[in-house]
Amino acid sequence: DGGDDGDDEEAAEELRTNAMRLAKRVLQAVNNLQIRHRGAAIAGHLSDLLGVVWGSLERPELVARLPDLLTALSLDVVSAAAELPATRLDVLGQVASSFREVLLPRLALGKADHALWEEDADEFVGRNLDMDMEGVVEVTREDSELCSGRKSALKLLQAMVDDDLAARTRI
């Protein structure tokens, strides 16, 4: 009966929406924990979670179905861990091994990016960088409008560069 198919599709979509909301809340909670508790106490608990998050980001078929916000939050969890001394080396090792597959696609510009740039350059910069057209740095907010996979990939890339610069200056 055709009516059951529609109900099944609605139920599946509702389940998917609820799963995405839950994933968003979990990732936001982990980000908040990392920000508030920057010590080794949380590092032991992050190891397995980081493996799951990064492993998910390494699966293009999964990431293609994720909203950009969830990809951004996942990258934020990884970059926050890259800033913690207790988890930095593990994170940087994971990131370096799959940089091309995970980060580069987030940094690449697509047709939608070009169209947004042509339509509203200020909006494009606000969505993709932590600054406006005048170079003024914005305070990062937990606003889904300001959260993007590209911005989060840039933040992770910055954590990698900062770590590399710190290592070079110690020599």
Side-chain angles (χ1 to χ4, degrees):
D1 166 298
D4 288 340
D5 289 343
D7 291 342
D8 290 345
E9 287 177 24
E10 283 181 33
E13 183 59 31
E14 184 177 345
L15 183 62
R16 182 177 185 278
T17 300
N18 288 336
M20 295 297 172
R21 284 185 187 138
L22 177 62
K24 175 185 169 186
R25 288 183 182 126
V26 167
L27 290 168
Q28 286 173 327
V30 171
N31 271 329
N32 289 335
L33 281 171
Q34 287 177 299
I35 291 167
R36 289 189 183 123
H37 306 284
R38 291 200 161 269
I42 192 171
H45 302 289
L46 285 176
S47 179
D48 291 337
L49 179 63
L50 288 170
V52 170
V53 170
W54 192 255
S56 299
L57 290 170
E58 290 179 311
R59 296 178 51 204
E61 74 283 357
L62 175 63
V63 173
R65 296 190 324 251
L66 287 178
D68 191 49
L69 175 61
L70 287 182
T71 302
L73 289 170
S74 298
L75 287 167
D76 288 345
V77 166
V78 175
S79 53
E83 295 171 7
L84 293 173
T87 54
R88 177 177 291 124
L89 293 178
D90 290 338
V91 169
L92 295 176
Q94 287 179 339
V95 171
S97 70
S98 54
F99 177 84
R100 187 172 287 181
E101 294 81 16
V102 176
L103 289 183
L104 286 183
R106 303 288 159 271
L107 299 172
L109 294 175
K111 290 180 183 178
D113 296 311
H114 290 286
L116 180 58
W117 176 260
E118 293 297 323
E119 182 181 315
D120 188 349
D122 285 329
E123 172 100 9
F124 175 85
V125 170
R127 283 189 187 177
N128 292 287
L129 303 170
D130 282 332
M131 64 179 64
D132 61 18
M133 289 296 283
E134 286 77 39
V136 177
V137 177
E138 296 176 357
V139 175
T140 304
R141 298 186 334 215
E142 300 244 355
D143 183 352
S144 60
E145 293 267 326
L146 298 175
C147 196
S148 73
R150 180 170 296 119
K151 194 182 286 189
S152 296
L154 286 170
K155 189 163 61 170
L156 180 53
L157 185 59
Q158 183 65 50
M160 292 173 67
V161 168
D162 288 347
D163 185 70
D164 187 51
L165 288 174
R168 289 173 191 243
T169 57
R170 285 190 296 255
I171 295 176

